Amino acid sequence: MHPTDAPRIASPGAPRMLVPVHDRPALLRVNPHLGRLTAACRRYGLLGCFVYAPPVGDRPGAARMFAPAIGVDEDVANANSTGCLAAHLLDTTGALTVAIEVEQGDTLGRPASVLASARRGPAGITTRVGGLAVVRDGHRGDH
């Protein structure tokens, strides 16, 4: 097993579990038992579970974030977890820098892309996250 294939706890402040899956079809099949996930997250002090198919070549990665213990069954986009993933990939590959794009929100009908980079420095690993958004006003009323 390659080190990037194992689940890992990562934290930019609130710890969460990073769980890899083999590919996008496997990611789409993920159907967590939200009650059990809530109990496990509360028991172990986790924010949630970020399930991801890693980027391959120039193709973006894909992910789904489940955090029912804080009232978010599935998040549309989670920048902090994507930053954690960039740091994890940097740490496990031994590279000096990593830049990734992770697509999220597809299963909710709200596609999003989160960009993250990580680099090694004197103080350890530093990450940066960002993304692109299109804001749509679905309801325009007189206010």
Side-chain angles (χ1 to χ4, degrees), residues 51-97:
V51 184
Y52 68 93
V56 177
D58 61 352
R59 184 175 167 118
R64 297 173 67 192
M65 176 65 178
F66 303 100
I70 62 165
V72 181
D73 290 348
E74 184 171 351
D75 202 353
V76 172
N78 194 280
N80 285 330
S81 295
T82 304
C84 288
L85 177 59
H88 167 66
L89 295 173
L90 179 80
D91 187 47
T92 57
T93 62
L96 295 176
T97 62

Side-chain angles (χ1 to χ4, degrees), residues 72-142:
V72 181
D73 290 348
E74 184 171 351
D75 202 353
V76 172
N78 194 280
N80 285 330
S81 295
T82 304
C84 288
L85 177 59
H88 167 66
L89 295 173
L90 179 80
D91 187 47
T92 57
T93 62
L96 295 176
T97 62
V98 165
I100 60 172
E101 177 180 356
V102 176
E103 296 173 343
Q104 299 175 32
D106 291 340
T107 58
L108 300 172
R110 310 227 2 234
S113 289
V114 178
L115 310 172
S117 63
R119 68 178 178 83
R120 291 183 194 280
I125 295 175
T126 302
T127 61
R128 290 183 178 259
V129 295
L132 303 171
V134 176
V135 178
R136 295 185 179 128
D137 185 359
H139 176 71
R140 292 189 182 261
D142 294 328

Side-chain angles (χ1 to χ4, degrees), residues 5-22:
D5 294 338
R8 186 172 193 184
I9 302 291
S11 179
R16 77 259 355 259
M17 177 78 68
L18 304 179
V19 179
V21 294
H22 182 68

